[in-house]
Amino acid sequence: QMLNDPIEMLGDQVQEFQKAKSGMLRSRELLSLRSEIENGREDQLPEGPLGLEFKQVNFSYNEDKPVLQNINFAIKPGERLGIIGRTGSGKSSLSRVLLRLYNLDSGTIRVGGKDITELTLPALYRRVGMVTQDVQLFDGTLRDNLTLFNQDVSDQIIKETTDRLGLSHWIESQPAGLDTHLKAGGSSLSAGEAQLFALTRVFLTEPSLVILDEPSSRLDAATESMLQSAIDQLMKQCTGIIIAHRLATLEKVDQIMVLGDGKVLEFGARKALASDPASHYARLLITGREEELA
Ligand SMILES: Nc1ncnc2c1ncn2[C@@H]1O[C@H](COP(=O)(O)OP(=O)(O)OP(=O)(O)O)[C@@H](O)[C@H]1O
Ligand SMILES: [Mg+2]
């Protein structure tokens, strides 16, 4: 027995070493990966709301299928652009290349007059915020999830923002308020709550350019109007791009872009397009067929 026990222990140790070895190999593989997205050098963007310009932008995920083709447009600082188009027309892809989640095939994107490939990634992310169609939650408290673990944001500021956006009632109804623990994934939030949550999160970073990718699913009327007022609040202080699935969201935008199969079918001031009966937007208004936006 005295011999057997230590030998068994040695056997266990060998197993542990084997696990450590394979873990080490995998970590090394991961650490040796280099991102294709290269950091630029420029660290400064102009103060205040940022303008945006796309110039001959082409992009594809796979070589065989172009997703964005020759996209050209510009919006001035403080303006709001509404983007509409059918499912798969490239709306979300447009926001992804703007945030440098992918490299372009060709063309340039300028934010605040600067080519985004010349900017450092933190400089871009500090000023440009995005609300995606599906909201990601991290394993942590409600507070951590709202501030994205930024300790500098005080509870006072969180309270003010959630009051303004209409989320504070929901936070107060949670068992431990801001200290409530959330599970990763997001199953504990309804679709409307998740959107309010994501808006608050972006709001707290005080962005100068915001991209809002609306969820395509239907929300109830009360939640919709709450979301709408939250969006209005957010957009007051920055340039905004709203990828819209509801006509109501488009009522307050300055410019409208209609995307189809990765191309710009129509771009212009909302008022002009609304009064031109031949435009896509005017036809949409007349028929009220929101499903064409989905
Ligand atoms: N990660 C990816 N890899 C490969 N192809 C993709 C990827 N994401 C999107 N696509 C393709 O790119 C095209 C545009 O997709 P995108 O998500 O931009 O559409 P969308 O206009 O946002 O649609 P929706 O209104 O449904 O949100 C689609 O044909 C889609 O299949
Ligand atoms: Mg999309």
Side-chain angles (χ1 to χ4, degrees):
Q1 191 64 27
M2 281 172 73
L3 267 173
N4 193 42
D5 281 355
I7 289 174
E8 256 178 30
M9 273 161 71
L10 267 178
D12 287 350
Q13 291 288 327
V14 170
Q15 262 183 20
E16 288 298 315
F17 278 128
Q18 266 166 353
K19 270 194 226 158
K21 187 183 160 197
S22 62
M24 209 164 72
L25 283 177
R26 265 183 300 180
S27 319
R28 194 154 64 188
E29 237 170 72
L30 191 68
L31 289 173
S32 67
L33 286 179
R34 286 282 161 267
S35 170
E36 279 179 24
I37 313 286
E38 278 174 30
N39 237 329
R41 284 149 184 262
E42 182 71 46
D43 197 35
Q44 292 295 320
L45 278 167
E47 295 283 310
L50 295 167
L52 173 69
E53 187 187 11
F54 272 57
K55 229 175 179 177
Q56 293 172 352
V57 169
N58 288 289
F59 168 70
S60 56
Y61 293 99
N62 310 307
E63 274 145 33
D64 47 344
K65 186 171 165 273
V67 172
L68 296 175
Q69 300 179 53
N70 196 22
I71 306 282
N72 289 294
F73 72 91
I75 49 174
K76 296 194 193 76
E79 271 187 338
R80 294 187 201 181
L81 168 70
I83 302 182
I84 49 181
R86 286 173 183 259
T87 276
S89 55
K91 305 181 297 295
S92 299
S93 306
L94 194 139
S95 60
R96 290 186 201 124
V97 293
L98 168 55
L99 273 178
R100 293 210 70 199
L101 301 183
Y102 294 91
N103 277 330
L104 297 177
D105 295 344
S106 65
T108 35
I109 301 176
R110 286 176 198 281
V111 169
K114 304 242 162 89
D115 186 336
I116 53 169
T117 57
E118 283 161 18
L119 285 168
T120 63
L121 293 174
L124 186 67
Y125 295 150
R126 257 200 312 272
R127 304 287 301 282
V128 183
M130 173 150 86
V131 181
T132 51
Q133 280 171 306
D134 47 0
V135 178
Q136 301 294 329
L137 290 184
F138 302 99
D139 197 59
T141 64
L142 205 54
R143 180 186 296 103
D144 294 337
N145 267 288
L146 280 173
T147 62
L148 294 179
F149 301 90
N150 179 355
Q151 315 278 337
D152 298 338
V153 183
S154 70
D155 282 9
Q156 174 71 24
I157 295 176
I158 298 179
K159 175 91 177 62
E160 278 171 24
T161 313
T162 51
D163 274 348
R164 259 159 68 191
L165 299 191
L167 194 70
S168 53
H169 181 72
W170 178 76
I171 291 176
E172 277 152 24
S173 72
Q174 297 303 303
L178 281 175
D179 293 309
T180 310
H181 199 89
L182 291 182
K183 286 248 160 26
S187 48
S188 44
L189 294 170
S190 78
E193 284 162 0
Q195 281 294 305
L196 278 175
F197 196 95
L199 277 169
T200 311
R201 192 187 253 172
V202 168
F203 214 118
L204 286 169
T205 66
E206 299 179 340
S208 306
L209 172 64
V210 152
I211 308 150
L212 181 70
D213 206 343
E214 266 193 345
S216 38
S217 56
R218 303 264 126 195
L219 302 169
D220 64 71
T223 316
E224 264 194 21
S225 75
M226 218 151 83
L227 266 181
Q228 189 56 47
S229 85
I231 293 170
D232 287 343
Q233 299 255 6
L234 176 63
M235 298 280 167
K236 262 192 203 129
Q237 53 196 18
C238 57
T239 312
I241 298 177
I242 306 172
I243 298 173
H245 289 98
R246 297 168 297 144
L247 284 172
T249 328
L250 291 171
E251 272 162 23
K252 300 224 170 90
V253 304
D254 305 298
Q255 311 274 351
I256 283 187
M257 176 195 285
V258 184
L259 270 183
D261 285 332
K263 298 191 193 98
V264 180
L265 299 181
E266 193 168 283
F267 182 87
R270 182 180 57 82
K271 291 203 179 100
L273 290 181
S275 59
D276 172 6
S279 73
H280 288 273
Y281 178 58
R283 263 181 288 164
L284 213 58
L285 282 179
I286 294 163
T287 56
R289 298 249 311 254
E290 294 203 338
E291 57 270 32
E292 290 193 8
L293 297 178

